[in-house]
Amino acid sequence: MRMGLSGRLMEFIILMIMLTARAKAAAIQPKPGCQRRCGNLRVPYPFGTENGCFMENKFFIRCDNTSDTPKAFLQRSNIEVLDFYPDSQLRIRGSVASDCYNSSERFYSDTWLRSGLYNISHTRNKFTAIGCDTYAFIQGSIGQSYATGCLSLCNRRNDVINGSCSGIGCCQAAIPRGVRDYQISLASYFNHSKVLSFNPCSYAFVAEDGAYNFSVSDLDNYSAMTRGFPMILDWTIGNQTCSEAKKDPENYACKENTICEDPEFGNGYMCKCIDGFQGNPYLSNDCQDINECETSKPCNSSCHNTIGSFYCSCPEGYEGDGRQTGTGCTYKVKPQNEKFPITQIAIGISIGIFALFLFISWSFLVLRQRKILKLREKYFKQNGGILLREQLSNREGYGENVRIFAADELEKATNNYHESRILGQGGQGTVYKGILPGNRMVAIKKSRIGDQSQVEQFVNEIIVLCQINHRNVVKLLGCCLETPVPMLVYEYVTNGSLFDHMHNVAGASFLPWETRLRIATETAEALSYLHSAACVPIIHRDIKLANILLDDHYTAKVSDFGASRLIPSDKAQITTIVQGTFGYLDPEYMHTSLLTEKSDVYSFGVVLIELLTGQKVVCFERSEEKRVLALYFVSSMKEDRLLEILDPRVLNDVNVEQLKEVAALARQCVGVKGEERPTMKEVAHELAGLQAMEKYHWGKRNLQAEEAEYLLGELSNTCGDYATTSSSMGYDSINNQIAFELDGAR
Ligand SMILES: *[C@@H]1O[C@H](CO)[C@@H](O)[C@H](O)[C@H]1NC(C)=O
Ligand SMILES: *[C@@H]1O[C@H](CO)[C@@H](O)[C@H](O)[C@H]1NC(C)=O
Ligand SMILES: *[C@@H]1O[C@H](CO)[C@@H](O)[C@H](O)[C@H]1NC(C)=O
Ligand SMILES: *[C@@H]1O[C@H](CO)[C@@H](O)[C@H](O)[C@H]1NC(C)=O
Ligand SMILES: *[C@@H]1O[C@H](CO)[C@@H](O)[C@H](O)[C@H]1NC(C)=O
Ligand SMILES: *[C@@H]1O[C@H](CO)[C@@H](O)[C@H](O)[C@H]1NC(C)=O
Ligand SMILES: *[C@@H]1O[C@H](CO)[C@@H](O)[C@H](O)[C@H]1NC(C)=O
Ligand SMILES: *[C@@H]1O[C@H](CO)[C@@H](O)[C@H](O)[C@H]1NC(C)=O
Ligand SMILES: *[C@@H]1O[C@H](CO)[C@@H](O)[C@H](O)[C@H]1NC(C)=O
């Protein structure tokens, strides 16, 4: 009796527990009879339009059914929802910023978005700008401020490539992850005055990848552009991870037959029906088995559905997996018994084959060795080896500077170009670390240029570079011409690049402002030397953080002359195909293809800006997006917001004036018009002055010749006439833009 009573009590208690558990589990379910439609749009749980029908406040949807076509809006905002996706995303209608002109007026409308608790999907959206005189920024904050954007220029409608969004009429940039709000602004260089006839407006917007395809007609179709494009937002449940959420079954949102997934990035979790099931994972018992046999008819013969899966079977006498996409069902063939001395024959054949194989590989090796030797000789000639050797033998004193390495030597030094020896990879080639006999470290660049028409120029560059002797320029030790592509051997600089240090690449240390300023000064001095003091002025063309190397004492060494061009002293500019790294590329050069030393000044200005802002302004590593860094910097300075974008880690009361002066200098360097930029000589002077904390009076543009001397390294005085023996040099002659005689007379 006693036992019976306590047994009942236990039963009762258990029942109570089960009931409350059920009641609590039901608490996270929508109330029955919820309105699940807003016009044509289905609003699935966890979203809902009425109290008790959504899971959390962030899933409240306001249905505006006052018009004929009801619209759904996110929470209490005016963000219109176009679609809900079970996989933690939803599609909304984005808005478009526009900047329009007629001959007398400007009509400007920027746009912004505050998405509350939703993040803008960085994988599925793109920032796009349209126009022929257009640059656009997208900015906001993700803890720190970020800005990115793009630049689009064109002169004539015919230049624009229909369907291609690549910087001519249309440009795109990725958006950073974790963004919840943004503001888009648009600007132009010339108020569209040069393109008014076919493109009066610039537009910019964030849109789902693939939802907008650029068409030339969009350049002057206002209504097509301003209607708004869909974009994707991410959502998750709560702010816990799956494992945290599971510990709290009362509030755990994933129901039967589901799995929980953590997002790739960010808080919260998401639920999914397990494979082979479909339904709404947030509703009780809604994930139901899919009857594959009915839905996709996967089998060639009989099909059997199982929970979560299916299998096929074949009729008797047939074999195979029975699947349409597999082997199907085939008639079974009965194996025949053979009586045949199969093993003996097999052994005989194997021995024969083996002997034949040995013979073939031996002759192959011999032939290959011969071929390799021949090939090397061929490459040597192709790559201008003969020419170079001639050149070298003609000059006294070159012998010790430039050395011609043999292919074997470099192979050995780099452990046969082993992956572990790769120091860096860039547009011009791959750089390996090499160890020469005697433990001498070198950097070996395997260039990518294999173009015959550039051989003479390549040789020329080697010779010129060999003569550069400046403490802030990486020294070229030699080259190898026996390989399909020419290879260059440089001194090894031990401490990585400025990029590594500015971007906290593993092992790199933080650079205080004094060091940054000194590195900037040294780089400016090296460039000034290249521009005005080397025997033939050299334009580097690819100045960027990654090409400024640092040694143990953080001394700057400018490297990578793969894109460099020599400018004969009687010319101030040459026409070339535009080359360089986008973010650092002079917009004027990009526009006109006219290369002057001012292009390096622009790139150097971008480097200065990066040294000043650090990662305060997140302009992304992809250089296309960095194109607008300079523009953004200048626009911030114009708006008097300089202090907001300076690197907070180096900004302090003591150096704020100095930072401002460097910022003013950087701003001049990235001026739109080349002629308004200072020369490298002036920049180097100004920086050196600032570094010594003596205010050099800026503005005197015509420096005396002697003033320039101080920054130069030793100069070989025999260099002026080296080119007289080689007949003519075609710069970028592949493009046939301009070819000229390099007479070298001076
Ligand atoms: C509009 O929606 C509300 C609730 O969301 C509902 O009460 C009302 O009947 C709807 N009106 C029309 C015209 O559908
Ligand atoms: C520019 O637009 C304004 C407003 O629409 C209009 O009043 C003005 O006449 C236009 N100017 C020209 C030159 O078309
Ligand atoms: C563009 O228009 C603004 C005024 O709207 C004017 O100040 C500026 O000088 C114009 N720029 C050009 C290049 O025409
Ligand atoms: C854009 O082009 C892609 C591929 O060509 C196509 O799949 C997509 O539907 C197009 N989008 C629009 C809006 O036309
Ligand atoms: C550009 O391409 C779109 C489709 O991608 C096409 O509809 C349009 O006619 C094309 N325009 C021109 C000028 O070729
Ligand atoms: C402008 O775009 C709209 C919508 O895409 C289209 O219907 C219209 O034909 C376009 N107009 C012109 C002149 O191309
Ligand atoms: C998580 O959400 C709960 C309630 O929704 C809130 O009280 C808590 O502060 C949040 N935690 C974090 C780290 O955001
Ligand atoms: C959105 O991004 C922020 C970072 O800005 C992150 O903390 C948050 O967890 C993300 N939320 C979601 C739902 O991904
Ligand atoms: C499936 O069966 C059809 C006829 O029943 C046959 O023609 C086809 O080859 C079969 N496919 C496979 C993969 O066995």
Side-chain angles (χ1 to χ4, degrees):
M1 184 70 194
R2 256 202 136 116
M3 281 293 283
L5 190 65
S6 65
R8 288 245 178 99
L9 201 62
M10 278 309 281
E11 233 176 70
F12 178 72
I13 290 170
I14 290 171
L15 194 69
M16 283 305 290
I17 291 172
M18 278 174 66
L19 276 177
T20 44
R22 217 169 264 165
K24 275 189 180 157
I28 203 172
Q29 287 291 294
K31 71 174 191 205
C34 285
Q35 173 65 261
R36 284 281 159 222
R37 292 213 156 265
C38 180
N40 291 328
L41 186 63
R42 215 186 121 65
V43 183
Y45 191 72
F47 294 92
T49 55
E50 300 154 297
N51 267 339
C53 294
F54 48 87
M55 191 188 297
E56 305 171 48
N57 282 340
K58 74 171 167 190
F59 297 126
F60 169 65
I61 297 297
R62 179 168 60 89
C63 183
D64 179 359
N65 57 7
T66 51
S67 72
D68 290 348
T69 49
K71 287 178 177 172
F73 294 94
L74 215 52
Q75 292 165 295
R76 311 228 164 259
S77 71
N78 58 354
I79 302 172
E80 186 189 346
V81 181
L82 301 175
D83 268 312
F84 294 93
Y85 298 106
D87 53 347
S88 292
Q89 290 183 321
L90 53 86
R91 178 182 279 154
I92 60 165
R93 190 191 301 283
S95 55
V96 177
S98 65
D99 182 20
C100 294
Y101 297 82
N102 71 9
S103 50
S104 56
E105 276 175 77
R106 179 185 189 194
F107 313 91
Y108 183 75
S109 135
D110 61 7
T111 186
W112 50 268
L113 181 87
R114 312 248 173 287
S115 70
L117 290 167
Y118 296 84
N119 284 355
I120 297 158
S121 167
H122 69 282
T123 50
R124 293 193 54 189
N125 296 304
K126 277 249 159 68
F127 175 65
T128 305
I130 311 291
C132 276
D133 178 7
T134 304
Y135 54 88
F137 308 125
I138 172 169
Q139 53 191 303
S141 76
I142 33 174
Q144 58 181 342
S145 59
Y146 75 89
T148 181
C150 70
L151 176 69
S152 165
L153 297 170
C154 29
N155 294 326
R156 293 172 309 149
R157 194 189 184 104
N158 286 345
D159 293 345
V160 181
I161 307 157
N162 195 21
S164 154
C165 192
S166 55
I168 308 171
C170 172
C171 64
Q172 282 187 326
I175 56 171
R177 64 185 191 180
V179 170
R180 289 178 176 177
D181 53 64
Y182 65 68
Q183 179 175 352
I184 292 177
S185 24
L186 275 165
S188 68
Y189 284 115
F190 309 107
N191 295 343
H192 282 249
S193 56
K194 302 186 173 176
V195 294
L196 211 52
S197 59
F198 66 94
N199 175 230
C201 296
S202 294
Y203 309 97
F205 50 87
V206 174
E208 184 181 355
D209 208 5
Y212 171 73
N213 291 336
F214 174 62
S215 156
V216 178
S217 59
D218 292 341
L219 287 174
D220 54 3
N221 189 340
Y222 185 80
S223 57
M225 290 311 300
T226 49
R227 64 180 198 269
F229 299 97
M231 58 187 276
I232 303 288
L233 301 185
D234 289 334
W235 57 268
T236 54
I237 307 286
N239 56 13
Q240 296 167 304
T241 63
C242 284
S243 50
E244 286 164 0
K246 277 176 192 161
K247 286 183 196 146
D248 179 14
E250 259 173 50
N251 292 313
Y252 184 51
C254 302
K255 296 295 183 252
E256 294 81 5
N257 299 327
T258 60
I259 50 164
C260 180
E261 278 185 10
D262 289 313
E264 197 182 318
F265 166 75
N267 313 328
Y269 60 94
M270 29 204 208
C271 308
K272 283 188 181 154
C273 291
I274 54 180
D275 279 350
F277 285 70
Q278 64 185 4
N280 186 336
Y282 301 101
L283 291 176
S284 275
N285 291 315
D286 205 73
C287 282
Q288 295 289 336
D289 177 47
I290 305 169
N291 188 345
E292 289 88 356
C293 292
E294 291 296 305
T295 51
S296 54
K297 301 216 183 320
C299 301
N300 215 11
S301 55
S302 34
C303 177
H304 313 269
N305 185 46
T306 60
I307 301 296
S309 185
F310 70 95
Y311 66 92
C312 306
S313 64
C314 290
E316 215 164 299
Y318 287 78
E319 61 182 359
D321 60 9
R323 296 192 180 207
Q324 295 276 18
T325 52
T327 55
C329 291
T330 48
Y331 194 68
K332 230 184 242 171
V333 191
K334 278 196 187 136
Q336 290 169 354
N337 290 343
E338 314 125 300
K339 282 202 176 137
F340 210 64
I342 203 149
T343 33
Q344 283 90 329
I345 291 184
I347 291 173
I349 290 180
S350 316
I351 291 175
I353 289 180
F354 186 66
L356 195 66
F357 174 76
L358 274 185
F359 177 73
I360 290 178
S361 21
W362 176 77
S363 24
F364 179 74
L365 277 180
V366 169
L367 280 178
R368 204 176 69 147
Q369 205 59 37
R370 242 182 244 167
K371 210 164 140 197
I372 286 177
L373 284 178
K374 259 203 190 134
L375 211 60
R376 283 192 179 159
E377 205 169 308
K378 187 181 127 210
Y379 288 142
F380 185 76
K381 280 184 196 153
Q382 245 179 35
N383 288 334
I386 311 266
L387 185 62
L388 183 64
R389 207 189 274 151
E390 235 166 56
Q391 294 275 327
L392 294 180
S393 62
N394 285 348
R395 322 263 134 244
E396 304 266 304
Y398 278 129
E400 31 177 315
N401 287 345
V402 67
R403 220 187 109 192
I404 300 186
F405 289 86
D408 294 336
E409 216 173 336
L410 296 189
E411 249 166 51
K412 212 178 281 167
T414 55
N415 194 5
N416 208 1
Y417 304 105
H418 195 267
E419 266 176 42
S420 62
R421 292 293 185 81
I422 293 181
L423 291 173
Q425 240 153 346
Q428 262 90 44
T430 312
V431 183
Y432 296 86
K433 178 174 164 179
I435 303 171
L436 295 180
N439 262 348
R440 184 160 180 218
M441 304 250 257
V442 290
I444 297 171
K445 184 159 103 175
K446 206 170 172 180
S447 100
R448 209 165 274 166
I449 318 157
D451 195 304
Q452 270 315 290
S453 58
Q454 304 213 337
V455 163
E456 273 188 37
Q457 184 190 332
F458 172 77
V459 171
N460 214 24
E461 262 180 37
I462 293 177
I463 294 180
V464 170
L465 287 180
C466 285
Q467 296 166 83
I468 296 181
N469 186 6
H470 189 279
R471 62 188 287 268
N472 301 119
V473 175
V474 164
K475 225 182 159 101
L476 181 71
L477 302 175
C479 56
C480 172
L481 305 165
E482 295 177 356
T483 42
V485 287
M487 294 212 257
L488 299 174
V489 182
Y490 291 96
E491 82 176 288
Y492 181 66
V493 185
T494 43
N495 213 350
S497 73
L498 192 49
F499 180 92
D500 301 340
H501 290 271
M502 291 301 291
H503 293 270
N504 307 323
V505 170
S509 55
F510 173 75
L511 297 178
W513 172 245
E514 296 70 45
T515 313
R516 294 188 196 184
L517 182 59
R518 185 172 48 72
I519 290 170
T521 311
E522 288 170 350
T523 307
E525 285 172 358
L527 285 175
S528 167
Y529 166 82
L530 292 173
H531 288 175
S532 49
C535 16
V536 179
I538 299 167
I539 297 182
H540 186 286
R541 276 223 292 193
D542 201 10
I543 288 296
K544 57 180 173 183
L545 292 186
N547 283 344
I548 300 171
L549 306 181
L550 300 175
D551 73 5
D552 283 336
H553 308 289
Y554 295 95
T555 305
K557 302 265 183 189
V558 175
S559 79
D560 199 347
F561 290 78
S564 305
R565 284 292 170 269
L566 311 169
I567 299 216
S569 49
D570 55 342
K571 299 235 166 48
Q573 59 185 41
I574 54 172
T575 309
T576 70
I577 41 171
V578 177
Q579 201 182 328
T581 304
F582 247 159
Y584 299 85
L585 202 53
D586 170 10
E588 194 177 56
Y589 167 48
M590 215 154 75
H591 218 46
T592 60
S593 300
L594 284 179
L595 181 68
T596 71
E597 56 174 46
K598 294 298 179 68
S599 298
D600 276 353
V601 178
Y602 183 93
S603 311
F604 179 76
V606 178
V607 168
L608 270 189
I609 291 173
E610 290 189 275
L611 291 175
L612 283 163
T613 56
Q615 284 166 67
K616 174 74 181 174
V617 182
V618 183
C619 260
F620 297 89
E621 304 331 324
R622 283 196 24 217
S623 51
E624 286 144 57
E625 288 140 29
K626 213 184 270 165
R627 268 190 285 184
V628 293
L629 174 59
L631 293 165
Y632 183 68
F633 183 83
V634 172
S635 99
S636 300
M637 275 185 87
K638 276 188 197 151
E639 292 165 18
D640 227 358
R641 295 194 297 114
L642 176 64
L643 293 185
E644 285 170 36
I645 60 169
L646 291 181
D647 190 341
R649 297 175 303 171
V650 300
L651 178 65
N652 58 42
D653 291 344
V654 182
N655 65 15
V656 58
E657 286 309 313
Q658 200 182 39
L659 286 171
K660 279 185 185 164
E661 298 221 21
V662 176
L665 182 63
R667 183 176 170 176
Q668 282 181 302
C669 288
V670 298
V672 175
K673 293 204 178 91
E675 69 217 38
E676 287 166 6
R677 295 175 208 148
T679 61
M680 254 0 271
K681 202 185 285 182
E682 290 166 317
V683 174
H685 239 92
E686 172 84 359
L687 287 173
L690 278 171
Q691 208 190 344
M693 282 311 253
E694 304 159 1
K695 299 283 177 291
Y696 175 80
H697 288 292
W698 178 244
K700 267 198 303 179
R701 276 290 162 79
N702 295 322
L703 294 172
Q704 303 300 311
E706 308 92 72
E707 281 186 271
E709 301 280 342
Y710 85 103
L711 31 86
L712 312 179
E714 295 164 60
L715 253 184
S716 151
N717 53 8
T718 56
C719 64
D721 56 358
Y722 70 92
T724 43
T725 48
S726 75
S727 50
S728 81
M729 307 300 297
Y731 285 84
D732 288 321
S733 47
I734 347 161
N735 224 34
N736 276 333
Q737 296 241 14
I738 208 170
F740 56 84
E741 297 274 316
L742 187 61
D743 55 358
R746 212 145 355 124

